[in-house]
Amino acid sequence: MENPEQRDRDKTLITEPKEINAAEEDVLVIEWEDFEHKLARLWSLTSALKESNDKKKSLQEKLQSLIQVKTESLNQLNELEVMRERLDARKLVMGNMLTRCMVATEDAKKQEEMLSAEVRSLLVAGISLSVAKKQLQESNGLLTEERGYIKLKNVHRKLRARHQYMVSQVSLLYPVKILVGSTQEQELESCPSSSTLGNSSVSKRINQGSLMILGLNLTMLPFTKMSFFTGKKEVQRSATALGYVAHAVSLIASYLQVPLRYPLRLGGSHSYINNHAPSVEPTSSDLSWNTSLSANVKPAEFPLFLEGQDTTKAAYAVFLLNKNIEQLLNFIGIKSLGPRHVLANLKELMRTVQSSEFMNS
């Protein structure tokens, strides 16, 4: 059915053409026979326009919803990208932590192995320590007993008696006696009261003569005042006497089990003495030497004779020989008489070892 309002409007357009605005220049005149056709066409166009508007509106709504969905999708995509970046960063951190964890695990394994080895060594050391402690307790038990102490004391006295016997044999082999008559260079003989360590060494000059070893006199004259005209026999006698002293000192040191600070190379009247200390002071460029290099350095050797040798080296050799005798004197608790008294020190050494004080020390 037609709309009444539309019909009235159509009637007005037909019946009242004079009310149309005169300003309009073009007026469409429709015949009544074409009116229904035009009206139907207009109605269809109106309906089509309405439908198109409705479709447009629905499309706008759909487009708006799609735009909103797209916006939300973009926002979600941005959020997902941010989350992906955070995930990558966390993956990187986890990878670094995993690498550190693996390194820490390897270090822990190595430390565990080292600790295991140390624990095993400590266990072995503990067992050895317990065994040594048990042996020490047994030894202390034996020593605290009267029989054990007496046994140890008897062994000590036997060892001292053995030392005395061996040194007495050396004294018989190389006797040091006083030569009647005075010489230019006399040696000092220690008094019996100066045998113990701690007392001041009292000495007296031998007015009735000088000391001799096996009938040979040893003085410092060939080394300090030797000239081209010095007697060859006197030089030979001094070298022989020094050979006797070197042999006696070597025997006594071996009997007392004292390693000499300056080792001897025995050769009779052509004996030598060694000094392991370097003869030249090291310079700043030598500070990089290691211990293995210094251990391979050949010791300096000095002659205990004057024939064909430098007097300074020979005098220094006698000084080192006297130092060996001083070492043995200090070992038994006696002070040396001085650096120029070789025979006097040797005589005091043999006398003290053969005395009763040595047995009770």
Side-chain angles (χ1 to χ4, degrees):
M1 293 180 65
E2 296 181 359
N3 192 355
E5 294 179 357
Q6 184 68 28
R7 188 184 304 162
D8 293 339
R9 191 182 307 112
D10 294 338
K11 287 182 179 182
T12 302
L13 291 173
I14 298 171
T15 57
E16 297 179 358
K18 294 180 181 180
E19 294 180 1
I20 300 174
N21 192 356
E24 296 180 356
E25 296 179 357
D26 297 332
V27 176
L28 180 62
V29 179
I30 302 174
E31 297 294 334
W32 177 254
E33 292 81 7
D34 297 331
F35 175 73
E36 290 182 357
H37 179 70
K38 295 289 185 181
L39 185 62
R41 183 181 178 188
L42 182 61
W43 178 253
S44 62
L45 290 174
T46 304
S47 300
L49 180 62
K50 186 178 180 181
E51 289 178 1
S52 64
N53 288 333
D54 293 338
K55 289 181 180 180
K56 180 181 179 182
K57 187 176 181 180
S58 64
L59 288 174
Q60 286 180 352
E61 291 176 356
K62 290 181 180 180
L63 182 61
Q64 189 67 27
S65 62
L66 289 174
I67 291 172
Q68 186 176 359
V69 171
K70 184 67 174 178
T71 303
E72 292 178 357
S73 299
L74 290 175
N75 293 333
Q76 292 180 358
L77 186 62
N78 292 332
E79 292 178 358
L80 287 174
E81 189 68 25
V82 173
M83 292 177 66
R84 187 180 293 107
E85 291 178 356
R86 291 180 181 176
L87 182 61
D88 292 339
R90 289 185 179 180
K91 285 182 179 179
L92 182 61
V93 173
M94 291 297 294
N96 294 333
M97 292 180 64
L98 183 62
T99 303
R100 292 179 182 177
C101 184
M102 293 176 63
V103 173
T105 304
E106 293 294 331
D107 293 340
K109 288 182 180 179
K110 291 180 181 179
Q111 291 181 1
E112 185 179 0
E113 293 176 357
M114 293 174 63
L115 288 176
S116 300
E118 291 180 358
V119 168
R120 288 194 296 269
S121 63
L122 285 176
L123 290 175
V124 174
I127 296 173
S128 302
L129 183 61
S130 61
V131 172
K133 185 178 180 181
K134 185 177 180 180
Q135 293 177 355
L136 182 61
Q137 290 177 353
E138 293 176 356
S139 301
N140 289 332
L142 293 175
L143 289 176
T144 52
E145 295 177 359
E146 184 178 358
R147 181 178 299 177
Y149 177 74
I150 293 174
K151 184 177 180 180
L152 180 63
K153 190 173 181 180
N154 291 333
V155 171
H156 180 71
R157 288 183 63 85
K158 288 181 180 179
L159 183 61
R160 289 289 186 176
R162 182 66 176 175
H163 288 163
Q164 281 190 341
Y165 174 75
M166 300 302 291
V167 173
S168 66
Q169 297 299 311
V170 177
S171 178
L172 292 176
L173 182 61
Y174 297 109
V176 180
K177 298 181 179 180
I178 299 175
L179 175 63
V180 178
S182 60
T183 58
Q184 294 180 358
E185 295 290 335
Q186 296 178 344
E187 297 201 16
L188 297 179
E189 181 184 13
S190 176
C191 293
S193 61
S194 64
S195 59
T196 57
L197 184 63
N199 298 331
S200 60
S201 180
V202 182
S203 58
K204 62 181 180 178
R205 186 172 296 276
I206 307 171
N207 295 325
Q208 68 273 22
S210 61
L211 292 174
M212 300 179 63
I213 180 169
L214 206 60
L216 295 178
N217 187 16
L218 176 62
T219 65
M220 297 302 294
L221 180 61
F223 301 101
T224 57
K225 299 180 181 181
M226 180 184 177
S227 64
F228 180 77
F229 300 99
T230 304
K232 186 175 182 181
K233 291 184 178 180
E234 186 177 359
V235 173
Q236 291 177 351
R237 285 196 298 267
S238 296
T240 304
L242 287 173
Y244 292 161
V245 174
H247 191 204
V249 170
S250 178
L251 290 175
I252 296 173
S254 64
Y255 298 153
L256 297 179
Q257 295 182 350
V258 177
L260 294 176
R261 186 177 295 110
Y262 305 105
L264 294 164
R265 184 164 70 87
L266 301 177
S269 60
H270 285 73
S271 299
Y272 292 85
I273 189 167
N274 296 323
N275 185 8
H276 291 280
S279 58
V280 180
E281 292 294 333
T283 60
S284 59
S285 61
D286 300 331
L287 296 178
S288 60
W289 288 358
N290 52 18
T291 55
S292 61
L293 183 60
S294 61
N296 295 328
V297 175
K298 186 178 181 180
E301 196 173 50
F302 298 92
L304 285 168
F305 57 94
L306 198 59
E307 184 178 359
Q309 301 294 331
D310 186 8
T311 57
T312 304
K313 290 184 177 180
Y316 186 65
V318 176
F319 172 78
L320 296 180
L321 179 61
N322 190 67
K323 280 293 182 180
N324 282 340
I325 302 174
E326 181 180 352
Q327 179 186 357
L328 296 175
L329 287 171
N330 294 334
F331 177 76
I332 62 175
I334 304 298
K335 288 184 178 180
S336 173
L337 300 177
R340 293 174 58 87
H341 307 290
V342 177
L343 292 182
N345 286 329
L346 180 61
K347 182 176 178 61
E348 182 66 14
L349 174 63
M350 292 189 292
R351 187 199 67 79
T352 304
V353 173
Q354 296 178 77
S355 66
S356 59
E357 299 172 357
F358 181 76
M359 289 291 298
N360 299 326
S361 62

